[in-house]
Amino acid sequence: MNEIIRIGMDTSKHFFQLHGVGADERVVLRKKLRRSQMLAFFAGLPPTAIGIEACGASHHLARTLSGLGHTVKLLAPQHVKPYVGRNKNDGRDAEGLCEAMSRPRMEFVPVKTAEQQAGLMLLGVRQQLIARRTQLSNAIRGYAAEFGLIAPCGLHKIEPLLARIAQDETVPELARELFAAQGQDYARLQDELTTIEAKLLAWHRADTASRRLAQIPGVGPVGASALVLKTPAPQAFRSGRDFAAWLGLTPKDHSTGGKLRLGRITRAGDEMLRSVLISGAMAVIQQARHGRGRASVWLVALLARKPIKLAAVALANKIARIAWKMMITQQTYDGARMQVASPRAA
């Protein structure tokens, strides 16, 4: 058997399909392993390159296999798909992985540490709690409206609404009991969210890079922590423009025949990180519209000729590029220089 130089591994919950090639690019390995057999198999192999599709469990596998001396490369699924043949199955998926990882222009996903994944879990749990709180508050408002009780918008109006319901005898007793149960769930969610946000703030204060990014107008503790945790290797991007494109803050390109056609933003990358940056940009714009803060000359001119939402995306693009530059150079935010800086300067 020729020496294996590259292995593509298709993973699942219980089975792992391997496809390996030798130095002459001929297939020398096709093997299906159970999870209990996988580590023992790779422990007996000489160090080789292994390609795995990036997913939730792939980072743990990458760390484990790297500990056995192998070089593990994680590939985004959308980059592997063009190399998978017809009649998809596990074997063809592994073959496509093996082929894709050999391409010179292929971009790989950095392997995260266990600590980075714990921080990302903190962001994910916070997002889940916010979604559940929103869902529950909407349910309370909807049920209350069925009994003629209308409350103003805002989360701070939910507890007064529940107090009104508890004292309103026109509401059936069964409904009041159910509203009380919902109120208990709402209070519990609020307490859990407060605890999670305190842990996230402590993580932010303990991380130098996160504290530095929070100096950028429009970036708070949540945005700064998300930028650090979701971008473990900013050096992988050639420029701030590439970083903004990875976040989906650049327009789609539909150009052909020499005609330039740019559409809406691509919405690539991480939705949560992109939404946090755009929300931060909207906060900066609202401050500028009310004459508070120190809005840059570029932003004032942009707001004079463009709609607010479009200006927010443009400002989020600029914030992303500034953040990338600060992560690369480890510099602090220079507000005086950014007051007159153009978007291309970031």
Side-chain angles (χ1 to χ4, degrees), residues 71-82:
T71 301
V72 182
K73 298 181 178 181
L74 302 183
L75 295 85
Q78 63 268 27
H79 293 167
V80 178
K81 187 176 181 180

Side-chain angles (χ1 to χ4, degrees), residues 298 318 321-322 337-346:
W298 169 81
K318 185 176 183 180
R321 293 163 70 170
I322 293 172
R337 184 168 67 88
M338 294 303 174
Q339 289 297 316
V340 295
S342 67
R344 294 184 181 275

Side-chain angles (χ1 to χ4, degrees), residues 110-132:
V111 178
K112 295 181 176 66
T113 65
E115 290 73 20
Q116 287 171 332
Q117 287 191 286
L120 287 170
M121 183 178 176
L122 188 61
L123 287 173
V125 170
R126 176 182 177 273
Q127 200 170 0
Q128 290 174 4
L129 289 174
I130 290 175
R132 287 162 55 191

